[in-house]
Amino acid sequence: NAGVTQTPKFRVLKTGQSMTLLCAQDMNHEYMYWYRQDPGMGLRLIHYSVGEGTTAKGEVPDGYNVSRLKKQNFLLGLESAAPSQTSVYFCASSYDPAGETQYFGPGTRLLVL
Amino acid sequence: GESVGLHLPTLSVQEGDNSIINCAYSNSASDYFIWYKQESGKGPQFIIDIRSNMDKRQGQRVTVLLNKTVKHLSLQIAATQPGDSAVYFCAERPRGSTLGRLYFGRGTQLTVWP
């Protein structure tokens, strides 16, 4: 039981490039979340999903897209990376619709030059 | 709007002492609170939670206290160990928030000295 995994662990992009971050969970959780973490700030919700095929915007969705084609995977896409998207990205999953007990992945560090 | 903040960004304690990490929240309608621990280079790890109908909840070596009158949350760690060194976040969930949206504080860096 690996819990929540994220790939890649670290990535450097040039402005304008695109990439996809992958989150996978093996706990059969319905609910999945993407957060970003910036220095001096709390985790901020980018997008979330309440089940396979459904996604919704969070607090800071601009510049990101997501997809949940399979229950166990939640993908975060950056179509045209900007330096402001330099951050650490965390994925989380939960069995609870009320968002309690979210299990987090190890994070992906993204640097946009 | 909802916001969760921390009184102290850093806290240093000696091994064996008790630690108290504080958190202030602004939304009096929040009904659920969580503490997370985040070690360097890792994702947040759930420590303990408390609902707004409780004042205190205890776990293994940790206690969370909730004071709704002054909108204050604290995490007490007993007999702090070097392995407790990490950033600790509190988070709140406003009552009725869409699908359990959590709002996180900035975190407090706890350093435990031998």
Side-chain angles (χ1 to χ4, degrees):
Chain A
N1 190 334
V4 180
T5 58
Q6 293 182 233
T7 53
K9 287 185 171 56
F10 177 70
R11 184 76 182 269
V12 179
L13 288 179
K14 294 181 179 179
T15 297
Q17 287 184 317
S18 63
M19 78 163 294
T20 300
L21 283 68
L22 171 64
C23 174
Q25 51 94 4
D26 60 2
M27 297 174 283
N28 202 35
H29 287 170
E30 288 288 342
Y31 308 93
M32 297 187 74
Y33 311 82
W34 274 109
Y35 294 91
R36 60 178 288 173
Q37 184 177 45
D38 301 298
M41 300 184 72
L43 292 164
R44 291 183 292 169
L45 183 65
I46 304 172
H47 285 279
Y48 61 98
S49 170
V50 302
E52 183 178 322
T54 66
T55 63
K57 294 180 180 180
E59 185 182 357
V60 288
D62 294 342
Y64 305 95
N65 57 75
V66 287
S67 64
R68 184 103 179 264
L69 299 180
K70 293 182 179 181
K71 185 177 183 178
Q72 63 267 36
N73 296 337
F74 194 27
L75 278 63
L76 178 71
L78 285 73
E79 294 179 344
S80 179
S84 61
Q85 294 178 303
T86 293
S87 189
V88 181
Y89 292 86
F90 288 100
C91 176
S93 72
S94 174
Y95 56 83
D96 177 28
E100 300 177 10
T101 320
Q102 294 183 20
Y103 295 86
F104 283 82
T108 293
R109 293 183 178 274
L110 177 64
L111 174 62
V112 183
L113 302 176
Chain B
E2 303 91 350
S3 68
V4 179
L6 293 164
H7 292 306
L8 296 174
T10 62
L11 177 65
S12 295
V13 300
Q14 194 152 22
E15 182 179 359
D17 288 350
N18 296 332
S19 302
I20 299 176
I21 301 170
N22 296 305
C23 179
Y25 64 95
S26 61
N27 191 333
S28 58
S30 290
D31 63 355
Y32 179 71
F33 305 87
I34 311 172
W35 280 101
Y36 281 95
K37 172 186 180 182
Q38 186 176 22
E39 297 175 272
S40 181
K42 297 184 179 180
Q45 179 184 4
F46 173 88
I47 301 174
I48 192 168
D49 58 2
I50 188 169
R51 300 185 188 283
S52 59
N53 61 354
M54 302 171 69
D55 297 323
K56 179 180 179 180
R57 191 168 187 215
Q58 289 184 295
Q60 187 176 12
R61 280 202 307 120
V62 294
T63 302
V64 56
L65 298 177
L66 177 62
N67 185 332
K68 294 180 287 293
T69 302
V70 295
K71 291 184 287 188
H72 184 267
L73 190 69
S74 68
L75 176 70
Q76 300 179 358
I77 304 173
T80 314
Q81 303 168 359
D84 294 327
S85 292
V87 174
Y88 290 81
F89 297 95
C90 63
E92 64 175 318
R93 184 189 67 194
R95 184 178 294 113
S97 65
T98 304
L99 290 165
R101 280 276 301 273
L102 296 177
Y103 293 85
F104 291 82
R106 290 175 293 142
T108 292
Q109 173 70 58
L110 174 66
T111 302
V112 182
W113 300 96

